[in-house]
Amino acid sequence: MSHLAILVMFSVLVGAFFGALSRENLREAFKVGLVLTLSMIVLSMLVAYLMYPFPLR
């Protein structure tokens, strides 16, 4: 599995968990989970893009 696939899978699971945990209504829980999932993926990709020019050593 690639790193991106693992990132997406982790984001979906965490977003679904916290969406279900924070809301009682199924529609609102889905919205919160979707927003959390997308924000984790986009922010992770943004941080990776910003770190790309810096060398490891």
mmCIF file with all atom_site columns, all heavy atoms in Angstrom, residues 45-56:
data_model
loop_
_atom_site.group_PDB
_atom_site.id
_atom_site.type_symbol
_atom_site.label_atom_id
_atom_site.label_alt_id
_atom_site.label_comp_id
_atom_site.label_asym_id
_atom_site.label_entity_id
_atom_site.label_seq_id
_atom_site.pdbx_PDB_ins_code
_atom_site.Cartn_x
_atom_site.Cartn_y
_atom_site.Cartn_z
_atom_site.occupancy
_atom_site.B_iso_or_equiv
_atom_site.pdbx_formal_charge
_atom_site.auth_seq_id
_atom_site.auth_comp_id
_atom_site.auth_asym_id
_atom_site.auth_atom_id
_atom_site.pdbx_PDB_model_num
ATOM 1   N N   . MET A 1 45 ? -1.430 16.994 2.791  1.00 0.00 ? 45 MET A N   1
ATOM 2   C CA  . MET A 1 45 ? -0.790 17.208 1.493  1.00 0.00 ? 45 MET A CA  1
ATOM 3   C C   . MET A 1 45 ? -0.105 18.580 1.421  1.00 0.00 ? 45 MET A C   1
ATOM 4   O O   . MET A 1 45 ? 0.965  18.708 0.836  1.00 0.00 ? 45 MET A O   1
ATOM 5   C CB  . MET A 1 45 ? -1.805 17.067 0.366  1.00 0.00 ? 45 MET A CB  1
ATOM 6   C CG  . MET A 1 45 ? -2.403 15.678 0.250  1.00 0.00 ? 45 MET A CG  1
ATOM 7   S SD  . MET A 1 45 ? -1.174 14.397 -0.002 1.00 0.00 ? 45 MET A SD  1
ATOM 8   C CE  . MET A 1 45 ? -0.682 14.752 -1.664 1.00 0.00 ? 45 MET A CE  1
ATOM 9   N N   . LEU A 1 46 ? -0.708 19.581 2.038  1.00 0.00 ? 46 LEU A N   1
ATOM 10  C CA  . LEU A 1 46 ? -0.106 20.909 2.067  1.00 0.00 ? 46 LEU A CA  1
ATOM 11  C C   . LEU A 1 46 ? 1.203  20.911 2.858  1.00 0.00 ? 46 LEU A C   1
ATOM 12  O O   . LEU A 1 46 ? 2.212  21.470 2.410  1.00 0.00 ? 46 LEU A O   1
ATOM 13  C CB  . LEU A 1 46 ? -1.089 21.917 2.664  1.00 0.00 ? 46 LEU A CB  1
ATOM 14  C CG  . LEU A 1 46 ? -0.613 23.361 2.752  1.00 0.00 ? 46 LEU A CG  1
ATOM 15  C CD1 . LEU A 1 46 ? -0.430 23.938 1.359  1.00 0.00 ? 46 LEU A CD1 1
ATOM 16  C CD2 . LEU A 1 46 ? -1.577 24.198 3.552  1.00 0.00 ? 46 LEU A CD2 1
ATOM 17  N N   . VAL A 1 47 ? 1.208  20.275 4.004  1.00 0.00 ? 47 VAL A N   1
ATOM 18  C CA  . VAL A 1 47 ? 2.434  20.182 4.806  1.00 0.00 ? 47 VAL A CA  1
ATOM 19  C C   . VAL A 1 47 ? 3.508  19.401 4.054  1.00 0.00 ? 47 VAL A C   1
ATOM 20  O O   . VAL A 1 47 ? 4.688  19.778 4.055  1.00 0.00 ? 47 VAL A O   1
ATOM 21  C CB  . VAL A 1 47 ? 2.139  19.557 6.189  1.00 0.00 ? 47 VAL A CB  1
ATOM 22  C CG1 . VAL A 1 47 ? 3.412  19.200 6.920  1.00 0.00 ? 47 VAL A CG1 1
ATOM 23  C CG2 . VAL A 1 47 ? 1.292  20.498 7.016  1.00 0.00 ? 47 VAL A CG2 1
ATOM 24  N N   . ALA A 1 48 ? 3.123  18.318 3.389  1.00 0.00 ? 48 ALA A N   1
ATOM 25  C CA  . ALA A 1 48 ? 4.083  17.533 2.614  1.00 0.00 ? 48 ALA A CA  1
ATOM 26  C C   . ALA A 1 48 ? 4.662  18.371 1.470  1.00 0.00 ? 48 ALA A C   1
ATOM 27  O O   . ALA A 1 48 ? 5.870  18.307 1.193  1.00 0.00 ? 48 ALA A O   1
ATOM 28  C CB  . ALA A 1 48 ? 3.412  16.287 2.068  1.00 0.00 ? 48 ALA A CB  1
ATOM 29  N N   . TYR A 1 49 ? 3.819  19.153 0.818  1.00 0.00 ? 49 TYR A N   1
ATOM 30  C CA  . TYR A 1 49 ? 4.283  20.009 -0.271 1.00 0.00 ? 49 TYR A CA  1
ATOM 31  C C   . TYR A 1 49 ? 5.242  21.080 0.254  1.00 0.00 ? 49 TYR A C   1
ATOM 32  O O   . TYR A 1 49 ? 6.251  21.387 -0.380 1.00 0.00 ? 49 TYR A O   1
ATOM 33  C CB  . TYR A 1 49 ? 3.096  20.657 -0.967 1.00 0.00 ? 49 TYR A CB  1
ATOM 34  C CG  . TYR A 1 49 ? 3.475  21.586 -2.088 1.00 0.00 ? 49 TYR A CG  1
ATOM 35  C CD1 . TYR A 1 49 ? 3.929  21.099 -3.301 1.00 0.00 ? 49 TYR A CD1 1
ATOM 36  C CD2 . TYR A 1 49 ? 3.385  22.969 -1.928 1.00 0.00 ? 49 TYR A CD2 1
ATOM 37  C CE1 . TYR A 1 49 ? 4.292  21.949 -4.329 1.00 0.00 ? 49 TYR A CE1 1
ATOM 38  C CE2 . TYR A 1 49 ? 3.745  23.827 -2.941 1.00 0.00 ? 49 TYR A CE2 1
ATOM 39  C CZ  . TYR A 1 49 ? 4.196  23.314 -4.136 1.00 0.00 ? 49 TYR A CZ  1
ATOM 40  O OH  . TYR A 1 49 ? 4.566  24.172 -5.152 1.00 0.00 ? 49 TYR A OH  1
ATOM 41  N N   . LEU A 1 50 ? 4.953  21.648 1.419  1.00 0.00 ? 50 LEU A N   1
ATOM 42  C CA  . LEU A 1 50 ? 5.834  22.676 1.985  1.00 0.00 ? 50 LEU A CA  1
ATOM 43  C C   . LEU A 1 50 ? 7.165  22.092 2.460  1.00 0.00 ? 50 LEU A C   1
ATOM 44  O O   . LEU A 1 50 ? 8.181  22.777 2.445  1.00 0.00 ? 50 LEU A O   1
ATOM 45  C CB  . LEU A 1 50 ? 5.128  23.383 3.141  1.00 0.00 ? 50 LEU A CB  1
ATOM 46  C CG  . LEU A 1 50 ? 3.948  24.270 2.752  1.00 0.00 ? 50 LEU A CG  1
ATOM 47  C CD1 . LEU A 1 50 ? 3.244  24.797 4.000  1.00 0.00 ? 50 LEU A CD1 1
ATOM 48  C CD2 . LEU A 1 50 ? 4.408  25.419 1.870  1.00 0.00 ? 50 LEU A CD2 1
ATOM 49  N N   . MET A 1 51 ? 7.166  20.835 2.883  1.00 0.00 ? 51 MET A N   1
ATOM 50  C CA  . MET A 1 51 ? 8.394  20.205 3.356  1.00 0.00 ? 51 MET A CA  1
ATOM 51  C C   . MET A 1 51 ? 9.240  19.624 2.220  1.00 0.00 ? 51 MET A C   1
ATOM 52  O O   . MET A 1 51 ? 10.402 19.290 2.424  1.00 0.00 ? 51 MET A O   1
ATOM 53  C CB  . MET A 1 51 ? 8.056  19.068 4.334  1.00 0.00 ? 51 MET A CB  1
ATOM 54  C CG  . MET A 1 51 ? 7.544  19.562 5.666  1.00 0.00 ? 51 MET A CG  1
ATOM 55  S SD  . MET A 1 51 ? 6.995  18.223 6.739  1.00 0.00 ? 51 MET A SD  1
ATOM 56  C CE  . MET A 1 51 ? 8.265  17.029 6.603  1.00 0.00 ? 51 MET A CE  1
ATOM 57  N N   . TYR A 1 52 ? 8.674  19.487 1.042  1.00 0.00 ? 52 TYR A N   1
ATOM 58  C CA  . TYR A 1 52 ? 9.362  18.826 -0.077 1.00 0.00 ? 52 TYR A CA  1
ATOM 59  C C   . TYR A 1 52 ? 10.719 19.447 -0.436 1.00 0.00 ? 52 TYR A C   1
ATOM 60  O O   . TYR A 1 52 ? 11.671 18.710 -0.700 1.00 0.00 ? 52 TYR A O   1
ATOM 61  C CB  . TYR A 1 52 ? 8.452  18.796 -1.307 1.00 0.00 ? 52 TYR A CB  1
ATOM 62  C CG  . TYR A 1 52 ? 9.031  18.043 -2.460 1.00 0.00 ? 52 TYR A CG  1
ATOM 63  C CD1 . TYR A 1 52 ? 9.122  16.657 -2.420 1.00 0.00 ? 52 TYR A CD1 1
ATOM 64  C CD2 . TYR A 1 52 ? 9.495  18.703 -3.589 1.00 0.00 ? 52 TYR A CD2 1
ATOM 65  C CE1 . TYR A 1 52 ? 9.669  15.951 -3.473 1.00 0.00 ? 52 TYR A CE1 1
ATOM 66  C CE2 . TYR A 1 52 ? 10.038 18.018 -4.649 1.00 0.00 ? 52 TYR A CE2 1
ATOM 67  C CZ  . TYR A 1 52 ? 10.114 16.641 -4.594 1.00 0.00 ? 52 TYR A CZ  1
ATOM 68  O OH  . TYR A 1 52 ? 10.644 15.949 -5.627 1.00 0.00 ? 52 TYR A OH  1
ATOM 69  N N   . PRO A 1 53 ? 10.875 20.771 -0.467 1.00 0.00 ? 53 PRO A N   1
ATOM 70  C CA  . PRO A 1 53 ? 12.178 21.333 -0.883 1.00 0.00 ? 53 PRO A CA  1
ATOM 71  C C   . PRO A 1 53 ? 13.315 21.125 0.116  1.00 0.00 ? 53 PRO A C   1
ATOM 72  O O   . PRO A 1 53 ? 14.465 21.246 -0.237 1.00 0.00 ? 53 PRO A O   1
ATOM 73  C CB  . PRO A 1 53 ? 11.913 22.825 -1.048 1.00 0.00 ? 53 PRO A CB  1
ATOM 74  C CG  . PRO A 1 53 ? 10.495 23.055 -0.841 1.00 0.00 ? 53 PRO A CG  1
ATOM 75  C CD  . PRO A 1 53 ? 9.885  21.821 -0.318 1.00 0.00 ? 53 PRO A CD  1
ATOM 76  N N   . PHE A 1 54 ? 12.984 20.801 1.361  1.00 0.00 ? 54 PHE A N   1
ATOM 77  C CA  . PHE A 1 54 ? 14.034 20.663 2.357  1.00 0.00 ? 54 PHE A CA  1
ATOM 78  C C   . PHE A 1 54 ? 14.640 19.271 2.308  1.00 0.00 ? 54 PHE A C   1
ATOM 79  O O   . PHE A 1 54 ? 13.932 18.266 2.311  1.00 0.00 ? 54 PHE A O   1
ATOM 80  C CB  . PHE A 1 54 ? 13.465 20.926 3.761  1.00 0.00 ? 54 PHE A CB  1
ATOM 81  C CG  . PHE A 1 54 ? 12.916 22.313 3.925  1.00 0.00 ? 54 PHE A CG  1
ATOM 82  C CD1 . PHE A 1 54 ? 11.559 22.527 4.024  1.00 0.00 ? 54 PHE A CD1 1
ATOM 83  C CD2 . PHE A 1 54 ? 13.775 23.403 3.966  1.00 0.00 ? 54 PHE A CD2 1
ATOM 84  C CE1 . PHE A 1 54 ? 11.048 23.791 4.159  1.00 0.00 ? 54 PHE A CE1 1
ATOM 85  C CE2 . PHE A 1 54 ? 13.273 24.685 4.116  1.00 0.00 ? 54 PHE A CE2 1
ATOM 86  C CZ  . PHE A 1 54 ? 11.915 24.880 4.206  1.00 0.00 ? 54 PHE A CZ  1
ATOM 87  N N   . PRO A 1 55 ? 15.981 19.197 2.289  1.00 0.00 ? 55 PRO A N   1
ATOM 88  C CA  . PRO A 1 55 ? 16.621 17.882 2.235  1.00 0.00 ? 55 PRO A CA  1
ATOM 89  C C   . PRO A 1 55 ? 16.535 17.148 3.581  1.00 0.00 ? 55 PRO A C   1
ATOM 90  O O   . PRO A 1 55 ? 16.292 17.755 4.617  1.00 0.00 ? 55 PRO A O   1
ATOM 91  C CB  . PRO A 1 55 ? 18.083 18.220 1.903  1.00 0.00 ? 55 PRO A CB  1
ATOM 92  C CG  . PRO A 1 55 ? 18.258 19.607 2.414  1.00 0.00 ? 55 PRO A CG  1
ATOM 93  C CD  . PRO A 1 55 ? 16.916 20.281 2.276  1.00 0.00 ? 55 PRO A CD  1
ATOM 94  N N   . LEU A 1 56 ? 16.739 15.846 3.521  1.00 0.00 ? 56 LEU A N   1
ATOM 95  C CA  . LEU A 1 56 ? 16.700 15.057 4.747  1.00 0.00 ? 56 LEU A CA  1
ATOM 96  C C   . LEU A 1 56 ? 17.955 15.274 5.583  1.00 0.00 ? 56 LEU A C   1
ATOM 97  O O   . LEU A 1 56 ? 17.916 15.145 6.792  1.00 0.00 ? 56 LEU A O   1
ATOM 98  C CB  . LEU A 1 56 ? 16.570 13.561 4.410  1.00 0.00 ? 56 LEU A CB  1
ATOM 99  C CG  . LEU A 1 56 ? 15.221 13.165 3.811  1.00 0.00 ? 56 LEU A CG  1
ATOM 100 C CD1 . LEU A 1 56 ? 15.257 11.693 3.414  1.00 0.00 ? 56 LEU A CD1 1
ATOM 101 C CD2 . LEU A 1 56 ? 14.119 13.402 4.808  1.00 0.00 ? 56 LEU A CD2 1
#
